[in-house]
C-alpha cells in the first residue's frame, strides 16, 4: 500500500508539471526520467485471424515500436494468436508464470531454512548466483556511429497487456487475481481515456468497485422501431406523432388490411422488444427493460409469461397470425403497412424517407455487446509496470495512427485509403477484428461504411440505455435454472402456441393460458426436490439464484 501511495503521489506531481512541459515524455506517466524511465519491453497478447502471417505481425510490431520507443522508451513484442487458440494459450502462459513464481518462492523459503540450519552449525552457505541489478540502460554504438539503446529481452512467460472478451472471462480472471487494478492510472496519467470512451464502457470495466480493464469503445446495441408507411398514413389521415407503443398502431394495421389489400398489413412476427430473457434464448425467466430496471438498480427476475410486455406482443402476434397479416416473404417484401424492425441510427434515418418511425426501444447496453473486447494488464505486475502498460493502452485508444496500425496493419503494405478515406485491404496477411483492437471510433472506417459511421455511432451511444444486469456473469448452474427439462419446455409452448387470441384475452385466472403455464413452472419445474421457481425468484434465501443476485447488487452498487 505504501508503494502504491508513493507511486500515486509521484504521478500526481508529474501530471501537474505537464502543464509546463507539454510534449515531455516524463510528464505523460509521472516517472523521474533520470532515475526511473528505463528502456522497457512489454509483452502484448492479442487474438488474430487465421490468415495473419508472422511477417505481417512483425511489420506492425516494428511500426508500433518506432512510435512507442520514441514517445515512451517502451517497445512491445506483439504476440498475435489465432482466435481459436487464444484463450488457451493465454491461460497456459499465466499458469506457467504463476508456477514459476511459486517455485521461486518455495526455493527462497528453502534457502532461508538452509541458512538457518547452517548458522546453527556455525557455517555460512556460499552466496547464490544472482542477476546483476539493472540501474540504467544498456547502450551500444551502432554501425552509423550513433549511440543506440538496447531493449531488454522478454522474461520467460512474461505477460503485460492482454485481450479478453466476455464478462465471464473477465470475472474468472479477476477472481484468479490475474487483473491489475487500473484506477490509479485512470485517475491520473490515463485520464484522457474518459474523453474518448463512452461512460457506459468506463463503468462496466469496474468489478467490485475497481477498474480492471479498458473496454473497447464502439457503437452500442440497436434501436427497435415501429415503421408506419407514410404514403398510407397520409392517404387515410392517420396522425402517428403520438404513437409510443405497437398497440397504438393496431387500428391503422387493421384498417390497411381492409382498405389496401395489395399491402402486407404487418411485415412479420416479432418478440417483445422490452423484455429480456436471462441466460439464453430458451429461458423462461427475465425482466422488462424499463426505467426501473437500469444499471445500478436492483432487478429481480420474473416468469416471462407474467410480463405485460411479453403478453402484449404475444397476443398481438397471435391476432395478426389468425388474420393472416404477416408476409409470406418478409425478407423481400417492401410493400407493407407496418413493421417492427431493428437497426442502427443510420438505418433509422434511412427508414424515415418512407416511414413514420417510432422508437419502441432505444439501444440497450448488454453484456455480450459491451464486453465484446477489452485490454487488461497482468495483475502480478508492479505498479510501475502497470503504468508502462497503460501508456500503450491509452495511446491505442486515443491516437488514430497507432489505432489504425494495430487494426489494419501498415498502410501501403496491408491496406490503402480510397478517395473517401475508407480502408481498402490489399491482402489478408493481417486480419484483426475491429472490436478486439481498441476504440473503434478512432479507426478509419472500412470500405462500404459511411464516412460518418462513427459520428452516428457516437450519437447512438448517447441515446442508449444501460440494463440492470450489465456486468453480472451468469454461471452454468444459473442458466440451467432458467430452462426446464425438454418435456416441460414443450408442454409450456404447446399450450401457448395452441391457444387462440380469444383464449389469451381471457380474464379468468384459471383459464388464461399465461397463468396456466406459470403455474406449471411454479409447481412442476424442480431440480431434485427444489422448486426452480422459488430458487429463481425468492431473494430472501442467499443460497438461491435470486439471493446471490441480490448480494451482487449490494456488493457493486
Amino acid at each position: 500500500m505504501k508503494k502504491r501511495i508513493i507511486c500515486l503521489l509521484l504521478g500526481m506531481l508529474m501530471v501537474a508539471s505537464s502543464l509546463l512541459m507539454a510534449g515531455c515524455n516524463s510528464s505523460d506517466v509521472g516517472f523521474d526520467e533520470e532515475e526511473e524511465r528505463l528502456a522497457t519491453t512489454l509483452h502484448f497478447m492479442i487474438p488474430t485471424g487465421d490468415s495473419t502471417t508472422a511477417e505481417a505481425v512483425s511489420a506492425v510490431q516494428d511500426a508500433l515500436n518506432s512510435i512507442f520507443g520514441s514517445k515512451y522508451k517502451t517497445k512491445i513484442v506483439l504476440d498475435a494468436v489465432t482466435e481459436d487458440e487464444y484463450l488457451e494459450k493465454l491461460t497456459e502462459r499465466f499458469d506457467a508464470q504463476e508456477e514459476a513464481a511459486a517455485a521461486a518462492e518455495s526455493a527462497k523459503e528453502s534457502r532461508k531454512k538452509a541458512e538457518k540450519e547452517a548458522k546453527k552449525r556455525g557455517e555460512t552457505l556460499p552466496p547464490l548466483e544472482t542477476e546483476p541489478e539493472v540501474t540504467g540502460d544498456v547502450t551500444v554504438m551502432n554501425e552509423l556511429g550513433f549511440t543506440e539503446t538496447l531493449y531488454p529481452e522478454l522474461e520467460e512467460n512474461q505477460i503485460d497487456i492482454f485481450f479478453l472478451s466476455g464478462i465471464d472471462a473477465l470475472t474468472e480472471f479477476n477472481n484468479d487475481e490475474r487483473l491489475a487494478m487500473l484506477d490509479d492510472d485512470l485517475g491520473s496519467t490515463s485520464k484522457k481515456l474518459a474523453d474518448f470512451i463512452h461512460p457506459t464502457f468506463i463503468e462496466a470495466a469496474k468489478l467490485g468497485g475497481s477498474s480492471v480493464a479498458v473496454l473497447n469503445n464502439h457503437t452500442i446495441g440497436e434501436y427497435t422501431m415501429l415503421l408506419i408507411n407514410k404514403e398510407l398514413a397520409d392517404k387515410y389521415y392517420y396522425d402517428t406523432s403520438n404513437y409510443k407503443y405497437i398497440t397504438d398502431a393496431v387500428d391503422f394495421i387493421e384498417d390497411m388490411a381492409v382498405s389496401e389489400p395489395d399491402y402486407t398489413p404487418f411485415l412479420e412476427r416479432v418478440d417483445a422488444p422490452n423484455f429480456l430473457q436471462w441466460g439464453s434464448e430458451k429461458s423462461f425467466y427475465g425482466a422488462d427493460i424499463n426505467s426501473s430496471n437500469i444499471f445500478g438498480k436492483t432487478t429481480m427476475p420474473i416468469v416471462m409469461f407474467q410480463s405485460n410486455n411479453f403478453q402484449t406482443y404475444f397476443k398481438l402476434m397471435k391476432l395478426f397470425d389468425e388474420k393472416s397479416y404477416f408476409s409470406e416473404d418478409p425478407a423481400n417484401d417492401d410493400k407493407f403497412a407496418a413493421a417492427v424492425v431493428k437497426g442502427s441510427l443510420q438505418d433509422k434515418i434511412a427508414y424515415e424517407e418512407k416511414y413514420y418511425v417510432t422508437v419502441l426501444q432505444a439501444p440497450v447496453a448488454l453484456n455480450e455487446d459491451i464486453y465484446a473486447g477489452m485490454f487488461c494488464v497482468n495483475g502480478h505486475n508492479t505498479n510501475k509496470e502497470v503504468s508502462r502498460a497503460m501508456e500503450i493502452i491509452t495511446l491505442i485508444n486515443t491516437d488514430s495512427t497507432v489505432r489504425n496500425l494495430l487494426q489494419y496493419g501498415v498502410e501501403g503494405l496491408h491496406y490503402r485509403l480510397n478517395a473517401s478515406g475508407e480502408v481498402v485491404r490489399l491482402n489478408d496477411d493481417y486480419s484483426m477484428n475491429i472490436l478486439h483492437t481498441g476504440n473503434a471510433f478512432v479507426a478509419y472506417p472500412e470500405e462500404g461504411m459511411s464516412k460518418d459511421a462513427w459520428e452516428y455511432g457516437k450519437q447512438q451511444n448517447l441515446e442508449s440505455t444501460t440494463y440492470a444486469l450489465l456486468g453480472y456473469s451468469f454461471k452454468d448452474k444459473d442458466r440451467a435454472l432458467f430452462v426446464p427439462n425438454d418435456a416441460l419446455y414443450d408442454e409450456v409452448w404447446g399450450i401457448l402456441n395452441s391457444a387462440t387470441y380469444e383464449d389469451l384475452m381471457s380474464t379468468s385466472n384459471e383459464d388464461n393460458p399465461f397463468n396456466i403455464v406459470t403455474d406449471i413452472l411454479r409447481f412442476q419445474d424442480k431440480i431434485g426436490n427444489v422448486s426452480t421457481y422459488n430458487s429463481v425468484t425468492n431473494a430472501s434465501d442467499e443460497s438461491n439464484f435470486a439471493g446471490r443476485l441480490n448480494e451482487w447488487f449490494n456488493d457493486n452498487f
Side-chain angles (χ1 to χ4, degrees):
M1 177 61 73
K2 183 176 180 182
K3 181 177 180 182
R4 181 179 291 273
I5 293 173
I6 292 172
C7 288
L8 178 58
L9 290 174
L10 283 171
M12 292 171 64
L13 286 172
M14 295 309 295
V15 166
S17 68
S18 69
L19 298 175
L20 300 176
M21 300 173 62
C24 176
N25 288 343
S26 63
S27 68
D28 289 339
V29 291
F31 283 96
D32 184 315
E33 189 76 24
E34 293 184 359
E35 295 183 9
E36 297 195 45
R37 180 158 289 272
L38 301 178
T40 297
T41 303
L42 301 178
H43 177 263
F44 188 163
M45 195 165 181
I46 193 169
T48 190
D50 292 341
S51 65
T52 297
T53 67
E55 292 78 12
V57 172
S58 179
V60 171
Q61 175 181 293
D62 290 345
L64 288 171
N65 282 338
S66 69
I67 299 172
F68 299 152
S70 62
K71 188 171 181 63
Y72 297 130
K73 215 173 181 181
T74 300
K75 291 192 176 181
I76 64 165
V77 172
L78 188 59
D79 188 0
V81 181
T82 54
E83 292 183 13
D84 60 332
E85 295 182 316
Y86 177 79
L87 190 57
E88 179 183 357
K89 295 293 185 184
L90 176 63
T91 302
E92 288 176 355
R93 198 172 183 95
F94 263 108
D95 289 344
Q97 186 185 74
E98 289 163 355
E99 289 170 5
E105 185 62 27
S106 177
K108 183 178 178 181
E109 291 300 318
S110 297
R111 174 70 182 189
K112 285 182 179 179
K113 184 177 180 180
E115 288 176 343
K116 188 175 181 180
E117 294 297 323
K119 186 175 182 180
K120 288 180 181 178
R121 299 190 301 270
E123 301 174 358
T124 301
L125 295 180
L128 295 173
E129 292 185 7
T130 59
E131 294 289 335
E133 183 179 355
V134 178
T135 58
D137 289 329
V138 177
T139 60
V140 296
M141 192 77 70
N142 65 22
E143 58 186 13
L144 298 177
F146 295 106
T147 301
E148 181 179 332
T149 299
L150 292 182
Y151 283 78
E153 297 292 326
L154 287 181
E155 296 180 3
E156 187 176 7
N157 295 310
Q158 181 178 333
I159 309 168
D160 296 295
I161 303 168
F162 60 97
F163 169 89
L164 285 179
S165 179
I167 184 58
D168 293 347
L170 186 67
T171 301
E172 180 181 347
F173 272 70
N174 188 56
N175 291 342
D176 291 340
E177 299 182 347
R178 289 176 168 179
L179 304 180
M181 303 295 106
L182 308 178
D183 298 281
D184 288 352
D185 292 281
L186 290 171
S188 55
T189 56
S190 293
K191 63 182 179 182
K192 69 184 297 185
L193 285 170
D195 296 330
F196 286 80
I197 298 176
H198 188 273
T200 294
F201 294 94
I202 299 290
E203 287 301 313
K206 297 178 181 178
L207 296 185
S210 297
S211 299
V212 294
V214 176
L215 273 58
N216 295 339
N217 196 41
H218 61 275
T219 304
I220 296 171
E222 291 182 303
Y223 296 87
T224 302
M225 298 166 279
L226 171 65
L227 307 184
I228 300 295
N229 187 294
K230 277 186 177 182
E231 181 182 350
L232 298 182
D234 293 345
K235 179 179 178 180
Y236 292 95
Y237 303 102
Y238 275 89
D239 180 5
T240 67
S241 60
N242 294 321
Y243 284 11
K244 293 183 178 180
Y245 312 104
I246 190 174
T247 50
D248 295 327
V250 172
D251 287 345
F252 170 77
I253 294 168
E254 295 196 312
D255 191 2
M256 295 306 102
V258 175
S259 303
E260 296 288 342
D262 291 338
Y263 281 79
T264 298
F266 193 82
L267 185 61
E268 62 180 326
R269 179 189 302 276
V270 293
D271 296 324
N274 307 98
F275 185 86
L276 184 68
Q277 294 164 271
W278 289 6
S280 77
E281 293 181 353
K282 297 183 69 175
S283 171
F284 282 164
Y285 294 89
D288 291 323
I289 302 171
N290 54 37
S291 58
S292 298
N293 298 337
I294 59 175
F295 192 61
K297 289 191 176 183
T298 301
T299 300
M300 289 291 115
I302 62 172
V303 175
M304 177 169 67
F305 311 116
Q306 293 303 307
S307 161
N308 288 333
N309 285 317
F310 175 85
Q311 289 188 12
T312 295
Y313 273 80
F314 193 86
K315 287 186 287 189
L316 271 183
M317 295 306 109
K318 180 69 71 170
L319 174 66
F320 292 172
D321 188 26
E322 290 177 0
K323 293 189 174 185
S324 301
Y325 283 177
F326 299 133
S327 172
E328 294 182 359
D329 185 17
N332 297 305
D333 189 347
D334 61 356
K335 196 174 182 180
F336 55 87
V340 171
V341 299
K342 292 181 180 291
S344 67
L345 179 58
Q346 287 179 276
D347 295 328
K348 176 176 176 289
I349 293 171
Y351 281 129
E352 288 172 345
E353 292 185 15
K354 291 180 58 178
Y355 305 98
Y356 291 114
V357 178
T358 297
V359 174
L360 300 175
Q361 178 59 61
V364 181
L366 302 174
N367 283 345
E368 53 267 30
D369 187 9
I370 299 301
Y371 295 98
M374 68 203 88
F375 290 130
C376 304
V377 182
N378 189 349
H380 304 313
N381 286 7
T382 66
N383 291 341
K384 190 184 298 184
E385 291 167 340
V386 171
S387 290
R388 295 295 283 262
M390 281 298 290
E391 288 179 321
I392 303 303
I393 293 174
T394 301
L395 203 62
I396 289 170
N397 283 279
T398 59
D399 184 281
S400 61
T401 299
V402 173
R403 178 69 183 86
N404 287 308
L405 267 171
L406 187 60
Q407 170 60 28
Y408 298 119
V410 179
E411 186 175 1
L413 181 62
H414 304 119
Y415 75 95
R416 64 176 178 84
L417 296 177
N418 63 20
S420 300
E422 300 166 344
V423 168
V424 179
R425 297 184 185 269
L426 301 177
N427 49 62
D428 60 359
D429 291 349
Y430 187 77
S431 175
M432 292 287 182
N433 184 330
I434 199 165
L435 297 182
H436 295 176
T437 53
N439 181 1
F441 297 156
V442 183
Y444 294 132
E446 293 258 21
E447 188 176 25
M449 292 175 61
S450 164
K451 65 178 181 179
D452 299 320
W454 299 143
E455 294 306 315
Y456 283 119
K458 293 174 186 177
Q459 181 60 39
Q460 182 167 320
N461 288 358
L462 292 176
E463 297 177 8
S464 67
T465 184
T466 306
Y467 194 58
L469 262 65
L470 184 67
Y472 183 81
S473 177
F474 286 101
K475 299 176 176 61
D476 289 340
K477 64 178 180 180
D478 296 336
R479 294 187 177 94
L481 290 171
F482 302 146
V483 183
N485 62 64
D486 291 344
L488 207 58
Y489 183 88
D490 292 340
E491 180 182 356
V492 166
W493 279 117
I495 291 171
L496 289 177
N497 289 333
S498 63
T500 65
Y501 176 72
E502 183 179 356
D503 294 336
L504 296 171
M505 293 297 292
S506 171
T507 58
S508 168
N509 288 334
E510 294 181 356
D511 297 332
N512 186 283
F514 295 122
N515 294 334
I516 292 173
V517 296
T518 298
D519 284 344
I520 289 175
L521 294 176
R522 290 179 63 187
F523 300 114
Q524 296 185 34
D525 188 18
K526 297 181 179 181
I527 296 180
N529 294 320
V530 179
S531 165
T532 299
Y533 176 87
N534 286 338
S535 183
V536 172
T537 61
N538 182 10
S540 62
D541 187 341
E542 292 184 359
S543 65
N544 285 344
F545 164 76
R548 297 194 303 273
L549 179 61
N550 191 57
E551 183 180 3
W552 178 81
F553 275 109
N554 291 334
D555 289 343
N556 286 276
F557 303 106

